[in-house]
Amino acid sequence: MTENSTAGWPRPIDSILHGATDYTAGVTLTTVFPRLANIDGTSAARQIRIAGAIHAGYSTLTDYPLGVVKAIPYKAHLALDAIGALALAATPFVTGQFRRGRDQWVPHVALCAFELASLALSDPTGKGDYKADVEAVRRANMEDPARKVHERGLAVTPGAAATNGGAATAAVS
Amino acid sequence: MRANVWSGRNTVQVENVPDPKILNERDAIVKITSTAICGSDLHLYDGYIPTMKKGDILGHEFMGEVVETGKGVSNLKEGDRVVVPFPIACGNCWACRHELFSVCENSNPNSGLAEKMFGHSTCGIFGYSHLTGGYAGGQAEYARVPFADVGPIKVEDDLTDEQVLFLSDIFPTGYMGAEFCEITGGECIAVFGAGPVGQFAIASAVMLGAERVIAIDHVDYRLEMARNKAGATDTINFDEDPDVVEQLKVLTGGRGPDAVIDAVGMESVSGHAPLQAIERVKQASRQETDRGAALRDAILACRPGGIVSVIGVYGGLMDKFPMGALMNKGLSIKTGQCHVHRYMKPLYEHVKQGHIDPSFVVTHRLDLGEAPNGFETFKHKQDECVKVVLKP
């Protein structure tokens, strides 16, 4: 069984969708998010922009379909996501800026919650919602896939339909 | 009886359901001996074709033994071994009289709904959502076959089930795709998709006399089957180099293939990961119903004046359709759900004469009870899966 099926809940996000979310989040956090959260120009905005840039940065280095240089294993990427999310949530409390108002810590905690929820729905194998028991299929299979795929020998006679009069005749005879 | 039913996105299960009954005098009841999972079943499984309801019996590729016939069915009798075409066609309407069986005007009671979704209604189809009539499918022990006096063909020799089962859909579909290419001998045909329909499109192009057949996919073992069994002369794995159009031009002296067959359809995969991600997000968020990577490349690669044959299933609207290339190259597009009835007998003759052994695609033969595992294995291309046949 795959890891997602033993988690106890569906994990439909495969590595492609996870990657798309990574880049979307990275771009959003570094650009419009601080303005939308009404924290532009504060240290909170700077922290969130840095977090977004780091996120997009290690996404480009991840070994998944949307990675550019495939240096970081996908599972390590997921671990970085979790560590980064928790670090972002902790930052306002470590720096003490949480005392300056809710807008200085709520965005950090909300982003952390979003990231952790996304991780909970992401399949660590990268296969998304795959849930078959391949071993059971192998045991039950009455065919030999390797023989069918790899054994040489055409199953078709070249030109057999053409010598019978071609397409039109074959179709309406 | 046992039947494989849809019970939600990415979930099917084998349940006990009531046996089918004769509802119309042109019905027959078939005891199913073999049934298959089709690539287009995955569109239902993945949730891209709406109006599936929990408990709907899946499956439109099946064959078996007639156990009961209505009063209006004189061509079949109890005990006959039959293959059932996936389109349900009345045989009497304008479309059927012109051998356009997949657009039969009478067999889809929900044609208004289908028109809203697809732009035009298909005929009724077994086990293929309520858009195509809500007919119970053939991944079961028994099935009711409407218009049984028109559709099923009798198998009266000792060919195995696996040799004739695919006359129900994928062999005629692949053949029609190749026939659209107007092969007269010596052509170069490119086939996008080396799944089961793609394998039959390749084999059919070879049978019809194409000189070169180029198979395009991103799954190595399927490309290997295309070379070893279906007769592809060249293969392109777009995971290795995503620029399929350029590779096809290189293989054809810069001009492009004479005809290109799209045997992929609405869930096509692009080798360019960012494009793939964008299309997946758009499709998942219902901003488009059809991903178009294969069809776009087919149009861009085909030689001027060539033919683009579309047999992969599409269900609605696609973004960024390269109309300029289509028009300025003077391409012809030929497409359609297969008019299976038209092809069953001549292709059956080819099988009987040994021109093709359609069982070459079967990599998995499982008990019907294994259908949920079969769907997952097929969808995720595990265990070198190309085609799953289920035995009720």
Side-chain angles (χ1 to χ4, degrees):
Chain A
M1 298 289 279
T2 57
E3 292 175 51
N4 60 317
S5 63
T6 57
W9 63 86
R11 305 184 89 169
I13 300 177
D14 65 14
S15 54
I16 294 179
L17 278 181
H18 189 97
T21 311
D22 284 337
Y23 288 113
T24 307
V27 170
T28 307
L29 295 189
T30 51
T31 55
V32 297
F33 184 86
R35 193 176 310 158
L36 292 175
N38 205 23
I39 53 172
D40 224 359
T42 67
S43 52
R46 195 162 54 251
Q47 290 153 4
I48 286 170
R49 283 205 168 95
I50 290 169
I54 292 173
H55 199 123
Y58 68 75
S59 295
T60 64
L61 302 176
T62 299
D63 182 11
Y64 62 3
L66 299 191
V68 180
V69 180
K70 301 181 190 301
I72 303 172
Y74 182 53
K75 284 185 180 176
H77 170 106
L78 298 180
L80 283 173
D81 282 350
I83 293 165
L86 293 172
L88 183 65
T91 300
F93 302 98
V94 172
T95 62
Q97 72 196 51
F98 74 96
R99 295 189 189 90
R100 293 203 288 268
R102 286 172 55 178
D103 63 345
Q104 293 298 298
W105 65 271
V106 169
H108 301 67
V109 172
L111 288 169
C112 173
F114 172 80
E115 182 68 56
L116 294 180
S118 164
L119 281 172
L121 296 174
S122 293
D123 171 26
T125 66
K127 291 175 184 165
D129 48 17
Y130 179 63
K131 53 183 180 285
D133 183 345
V134 178
E135 282 312 312
V137 170
R138 287 195 181 116
R139 284 194 300 275
N141 191 4
M142 295 170 257
E143 286 284 351
D144 176 2
R147 184 181 67 79
K148 296 304 269 293
V149 171
H150 303 294
E151 203 172 75
R152 287 172 185 269
L154 286 187
V156 58
T157 307
T163 53
N164 280 358
T169 312
V172 297
S173 62
Chain B
M1 68 168 183
R2 288 187 311 155
N4 184 42
V5 303
W6 189 90
S7 40
R9 187 173 167 266
N10 285 312
T11 312
V12 295
Q13 52 197 56
V14 177
E15 289 182 352
N16 282 313
V17 301
D19 287 357
K21 293 183 179 134
I22 297 278
L23 300 178
N24 182 289
E25 62 182 24
R26 293 176 69 185
D27 288 352
I29 303 295
V30 172
K31 182 183 181 190
I32 294 163
T33 53
S34 291
T35 177
I37 302 173
C38 181
S40 51
D41 287 333
L42 296 182
H43 305 320
L44 306 171
Y45 189 65
D46 292 341
Y48 292 125
I49 303 282
T51 73
M52 288 298 289
K53 294 180 183 171
K54 284 189 179 177
D56 283 349
I57 302 173
L58 293 162
H60 56 267
E61 297 177 3
F62 59 96
M63 64 176 294
E65 184 186 317
V66 175
V67 292
E68 191 180 353
T69 55
K71 284 186 291 185
V73 181
S74 55
N75 58 322
L76 300 176
K77 62 181 187 306
E78 197 178 326
D80 282 346
R81 187 178 176 220
V82 292
V83 180
V84 180
F86 82 82
I88 301 170
C90 74
N92 298 329
C93 68
W94 179 90
C96 288
R97 281 187 278 113
H98 288 81
E99 294 196 317
L100 302 169
F101 298 99
S102 73
V103 284
C104 170
E105 294 162 351
N106 288 325
S107 61
N108 185 356
N110 299 334
S111 58
L113 202 59
E115 200 167 308
K116 282 183 184 153
M117 169 69 192
F118 298 142
H120 190 280
S121 176
T122 65
C123 62
I125 297 175
F126 292 100
Y128 211 74
S129 87
H130 291 261
L131 289 175
T132 65
Y135 293 97
Q139 288 167 13
E141 290 177 317
Y142 295 90
R144 179 178 78 93
V145 178
F147 301 119
D149 53 328
V150 176
I153 62 160
K154 284 193 267 191
V155 178
E156 296 175 310
D157 48 56
D158 57 0
L159 293 168
T160 65
D161 275 14
E162 283 76 10
Q163 286 177 297
V164 290
L165 171 62
F166 305 126
L167 293 170
S168 60
D169 180 354
I170 57 173
F171 184 16
T173 299
Y175 190 89
M176 189 174 86
E179 191 188 68
F180 281 161
C181 298
E182 298 177 1
I183 297 165
T184 55
E187 290 84 353
C188 174
I189 310 294
V191 180
F192 280 79
V197 169
Q199 299 284 348
F200 279 111
I202 294 162
S204 299
V206 170
M207 270 174 71
L208 286 165
E211 186 175 303
R212 286 181 83 183
V213 182
I214 305 168
I216 301 143
D217 205 297
H218 67 138
V219 181
D220 267 333
Y221 72 85
R222 291 184 168 198
L223 290 172
E224 192 171 343
M225 177 182 270
R227 278 192 306 270
N228 288 342
K229 300 291 167 60
T233 53
D234 305 84
T235 54
I236 292 174
N237 183 333
F238 62 79
D239 267 355
E240 292 167 7
D241 181 350
D243 199 340
V244 177
V245 175
E246 181 61 27
Q247 291 177 81
L248 283 172
K249 296 231 165 128
V250 167
L251 284 170
T252 54
R255 186 170 289 135
D258 297 301
V260 185
I261 300 172
D262 170 2
V264 180
M266 66 196 295
E267 292 188 64
S268 68
V269 174
S270 170
H272 297 282
L275 294 179
Q276 173 65 10
I278 289 166
E279 285 224 304
R280 276 203 63 183
V281 170
K282 279 159 72 175
Q283 192 182 43
S285 58
R286 303 301 188 260
Q287 302 306 300
E288 64 176 353
T289 55
D290 302 327
R291 302 204 297 257
L295 184 53
R296 281 187 210 110
D297 278 357
I299 291 169
L300 295 174
C302 192
R303 73 153 165 81
I307 295 167
V308 175
S309 161
V310 186
I311 50 173
V313 172
Y314 289 93
L317 300 167
M318 176 194 301
D319 286 350
K320 297 183 177 57
F321 185 81
M323 194 62 213
L326 180 71
M327 196 272 169
N328 292 302
K329 282 187 183 183
L331 301 181
S332 302
I333 286 198
K334 297 186 176 187
T335 184
Q337 293 277 1
C338 184
H339 308 296
V340 175
H341 302 58
R342 192 199 293 177
Y343 294 93
M344 287 179 94
K345 284 183 181 166
L347 294 182
Y348 176 44
E349 287 302 315
H350 280 303
V351 177
K352 277 207 300 192
Q353 289 169 31
H355 296 155
I356 183 167
D357 178 1
S359 68
F360 78 92
V361 292
V362 182
T363 52
H364 288 71
R365 197 150 40 100
L366 305 170
D367 182 84
L368 176 65
E370 290 289 332
N373 273 331
F375 263 78
E376 281 288 294
T377 304
F378 181 44
K379 173 180 170 176
H380 294 278
K381 302 176 181 66
Q382 298 292 298
D383 196 32
E384 300 195 320
C385 184
V386 176
K387 188 71 178 174
V388 180
V389 171
L390 300 168
K391 294 292 195 181

